[in-house]
Amino acid sequence: MSANNALHIAVLGGDGIGPEVMAPALEVLRKIEATSELKFRFTEAPAGANNYLATGRSMPDSTVRLCEEADAILLGACGLPSVRYPDNTEIAPQIELRFHFDLYAGVRPARLIPGVPSPIAGADQRGIDLVLIRESTEGLFASMGKGVVTDTEARETLVITRKTSERLFEFSFRLAERRKARGKTNGGLTCVDKANVFRAFAFFREMFDEAAKRHPGVKSDRLYVDACSLMMVKRPWDFDVMVTENMFGDILSDLAAGLIGGLGMAPSADIGDRYAVFQPCHGTAPDIMGQGKANPTAMILSAAMMLDWLADKHGLESAAEAGERIERAVDKAYAGGIKPMEFGGNNGTADITKTVLAAL
């Protein structure tokens, strides 16, 4: 933090509805600032498909430098389906930042908020409160931009290393321990893999088992990814913290979001040893851009995750309390009947923002 004790936040609005959901999150943080001892300094910078169209790059060097200097990074949704690199892949600064800052732990909470409909029978009574941790720099994504394509075949290579996996598992066990200490859940951790088929995943599971021995207070479990997918839609309330490879996590995190009302309800963080990026799980939704229909909840909850991480990083108990205040305000807004257009309601961006701010 800077000398004036203000937390410096890099703000990358992104594309499509990215800036539209970022604005409410910043309003919420400004209200936190006005009602607590916390101080923020926000610096906005370009990133995404529109910047690529204008400059030929997803992010300028100045944006990367800002992210290096800031205490945390808030990122709106980035990329547009119609804007592609020459190899036909989408513009994705969110993925590039993971590699640049070694953000190996992709944290994807899925908590069913009171008043939000779930497609799972019994979820409203049993509740859903799980965290999927997706390794974010290796796995199949290690091949991004490096795949080999010929006229007759295409090959992408999955990579799992000991260095990254050991850090990932330590992070995951510590998170399970913190959740248990807070009394939220049973403190369990499930390794999700395909160790019965692929040697790489057998290696992954071996390292998980080694980490489990160092954390005897955490109930550890192992599931194959196909069985895990089945159990997530049958008994999602049985899960606490889950850890898995990059591509599996990419898929399962969207499944988890579907259990709690949709991607508009799903926050996320990509965390490394020093840096962290916080962003909603949803995309840029260009079909509703500029119409006031976007659900800002995931972005607001991502800001709450940022405060919790900053609290741990700087020893700021007030930041952790502020993150919990935001979560409670969101809960109160939905319990009071707010219903986004995302799942058939009439409340758009402004309504949801106003209600959450009032609940703060």
Side-chain angles (χ1 to χ4, degrees):
M1 292 186 292
S2 57
N4 63 5
N5 216 35
L7 293 160
H8 185 199
I9 311 301
V11 178
L12 282 55
D15 304 303
I17 63 169
E20 297 175 33
V21 297
M22 181 67 77
L26 296 182
E27 284 189 66
V28 167
L29 290 172
R30 289 187 181 103
K31 184 157 187 178
I32 288 291
E33 183 178 45
T35 55
S36 75
E37 63 185 46
L38 294 173
K39 300 298 177 186
F40 301 107
R41 178 162 60 94
F42 302 111
T43 305
E44 299 188 10
N50 286 314
N51 193 75
Y52 178 78
L53 286 176
T55 68
R57 301 179 64 188
S58 68
M59 293 178 287
D61 291 338
S62 57
T63 294
V64 177
R65 285 195 300 271
L66 168 66
C67 292
E68 290 172 345
E69 296 165 359
D71 290 295
I73 304 158
L74 274 181
L75 178 65
C78 289
L80 294 171
S82 59
V83 182
R84 304 270 176 160
Y85 286 119
D87 65 359
N88 204 37
T89 57
E90 286 192 31
I91 313 304
Q94 64 273 27
I95 298 177
E96 294 166 26
L97 287 170
R98 293 171 198 164
F99 289 116
H100 183 82
F101 291 111
D102 194 20
L103 308 178
Y104 56 85
V107 183
R108 309 289 188 264
R111 182 174 67 89
L112 185 61
I113 291 172
V116 176
S118 171
I120 307 301
D124 53 342
Q125 289 85 34
R126 301 293 297 270
I128 299 171
D129 187 355
L130 61 88
V131 180
L132 179 72
I133 301 176
R134 162 194 179 187
E135 195 290 311
S136 290
T137 61
E138 296 183 346
L140 195 55
F141 277 74
S143 189
M144 192 179 76
K146 304 172 186 175
V148 177
V149 180
T150 70
D151 289 340
T152 56
E153 65 178 41
R155 292 177 181 265
E156 305 278 4
T157 302
L158 180 145
V159 176
I160 290 175
T161 69
R162 179 172 291 277
K163 178 184 176 182
T164 295
S165 298
E166 287 182 343
R167 288 186 297 164
L168 176 75
F169 293 139
E170 286 300 313
F171 179 96
S172 302
F173 275 104
R174 288 198 305 271
L175 178 60
E177 289 166 346
R178 289 201 303 274
R179 283 169 61 86
K180 185 177 181 180
R182 291 176 179 179
K184 295 185 68 173
T185 61
N186 61 14
L189 176 62
T190 302
C191 179
V192 182
D193 57 43
K194 196 63 178 171
N196 58 329
V197 175
F198 296 102
R199 294 174 65 185
F201 286 110
F203 178 57
F204 190 73
R205 183 178 288 203
E206 286 173 9
M207 289 182 286
F208 176 82
D209 290 342
E210 292 168 4
K213 294 175 183 177
R214 297 191 293 270
H215 297 270
V218 175
K219 182 179 70 175
S220 60
D221 193 13
R222 301 117 188 101
L223 268 181
Y224 300 135
V225 65
D226 44 346
C228 178
S229 302
L230 172 68
M231 293 306 300
M232 284 180 69
V233 297
K234 288 190 69 176
R235 299 182 60 84
W237 42 82
D238 285 349
F239 290 99
D240 182 5
V241 183
M242 308 154 70
V243 61
T244 191
E245 176 269 340
N246 206 337
M247 179 59 81
F248 288 166
D250 189 27
I251 297 165
L252 292 179
S253 61
D254 274 23
L255 172 59
L259 305 178
I260 60 165
L263 289 171
M265 303 300 298
S268 79
D270 289 304
I271 299 174
D273 292 335
R274 181 179 175 187
Y275 299 95
V277 174
F278 301 86
Q279 66 177 105
C281 284
H282 62 71
T284 55
D287 57 320
I288 62 169
M289 179 177 60
Q291 301 174 40
K293 296 179 178 180
N295 180 2
T297 305
M299 189 74 243
I300 291 171
L301 290 174
S302 296
M305 289 181 70
M306 178 188 73
L307 291 176
D308 188 66
W309 179 77
L310 286 168
D312 185 58
K313 181 181 179 183
H314 294 296
L316 291 172
E317 185 59 33
S318 58
E321 293 170 356
E324 292 174 356
R325 278 183 60 198
I326 293 173
E327 289 189 356
R328 289 196 299 270
V330 170
D331 286 4
K332 185 176 180 181
Y334 278 90
I338 203 82
K339 191 174 183 182
M341 297 179 185
E342 181 182 16
F343 38 87
N346 296 313
N347 300 119
T349 313
D351 286 345
I352 298 167
T353 305
K354 180 180 178 181
T355 307
V356 171
L357 287 169
L360 273 174

